[in-house]
Amino acid sequence: MNRLKQLRLEKKLLQSDIAKIINKSDRAVGQYEREERDPSSETWAILADYFGVSLDYMLGKSDIRNTNKIDLDDIDIAFASGIKGLNKENQEIAKNIIEGLLAKQKSEEKQNLNKNS
């Protein structure tokens, strides 16, 4: 299912509702959803802003809805797709941060076990 249709259905909107938002016809929205016609870049931007998602998500190039605010559920996806875009130095920094957080968590869990013993 294309992202426009998915987002529209999530918000329980009709194609006519989207048409009003982007100042196009209902028919044009249907063609966008069936991928028979491509919206202009301006239309994509309006839709992404309206739904609160990134253009990459809107275009199907990313599974992360909004890179400015990543939900915890998106962390695995963000890390998997984001780590590849980092240079070697930043990949190492990201790896060290995660290892540090895991070590901290393990230490806290160990302290809690000792308290409860």
Side-chain angles (χ1 to χ4, degrees), residues 7-46:
L7 292 166
R8 177 178 65 78
L9 293 175
E10 283 177 12
K11 288 203 176 252
K12 297 178 174 52
L13 298 171
L14 302 171
Q15 287 180 345
S16 59
D17 298 322
I18 300 300
K20 289 175 189 163
I21 293 164
I22 60 173
N23 199 25
K24 304 284 182 190
S25 69
D26 301 4
R27 181 181 172 135
V29 174
Q31 290 172 330
Y32 298 156
E33 288 186 359
R34 292 188 302 277
E35 298 178 359
E36 297 172 353
R37 181 176 167 190
D38 288 326
S40 68
S41 55
E42 180 183 350
T43 299
W44 277 127
I46 292 167

Side-chain angles (χ1 to χ4, degrees), residues 3 6-8 21 27 31 36 39 45-46 50 52-54 64 70 76-77 90-91 96 103 108 111 114 117:
R3 294 277 165 86
Q6 173 193 343
L7 292 166
R8 177 178 65 78
I21 293 164
R27 181 181 172 135
Q31 290 172 330
E36 297 172 353
I46 292 167
Y50 176 78
V53 299
S54 69
I64 302 168
I70 297 175
D76 286 339
I77 294 168
N90 288 332
Q91 285 180 2
N96 289 338
E108 289 169 349
Q111 287 176 351
N114 289 337
S117 298

Side-chain angles (χ1 to χ4, degrees), residues 20-105:
K20 289 175 189 163
I21 293 164
I22 60 173
N23 199 25
K24 304 284 182 190
S25 69
D26 301 4
R27 181 181 172 135
V29 174
Q31 290 172 330
Y32 298 156
E33 288 186 359
R34 292 188 302 277
E35 298 178 359
E36 297 172 353
R37 181 176 167 190
D38 288 326
S40 68
S41 55
E42 180 183 350
T43 299
W44 277 127
I46 292 167
L47 289 166
D49 285 345
Y50 176 78
F51 288 112
V53 299
S54 69
L55 275 172
D56 281 346
Y57 181 82
M58 202 74 217
L59 295 168
K61 294 182 177 197
S62 172
D63 290 330
I64 302 168
R65 287 184 179 226
N66 186 336
T67 55
N68 294 328
K69 61 174 194 181
I70 297 175
D71 293 331
L72 286 177
D73 292 341
D74 293 335
I75 292 293
D76 286 339
I77 294 168
F79 187 77
S81 59
I83 193 81
K84 293 176 186 156
L86 297 175
N87 64 33
K88 292 289 181 195
E89 180 183 349
N90 288 332
Q91 285 180 2
E92 192 63 30
I93 290 169
K95 180 179 159 219
N96 289 338
I97 289 169
I98 290 172
E99 287 174 351
L101 289 171
L102 288 170
K104 178 181 175 278
Q105 179 178 306

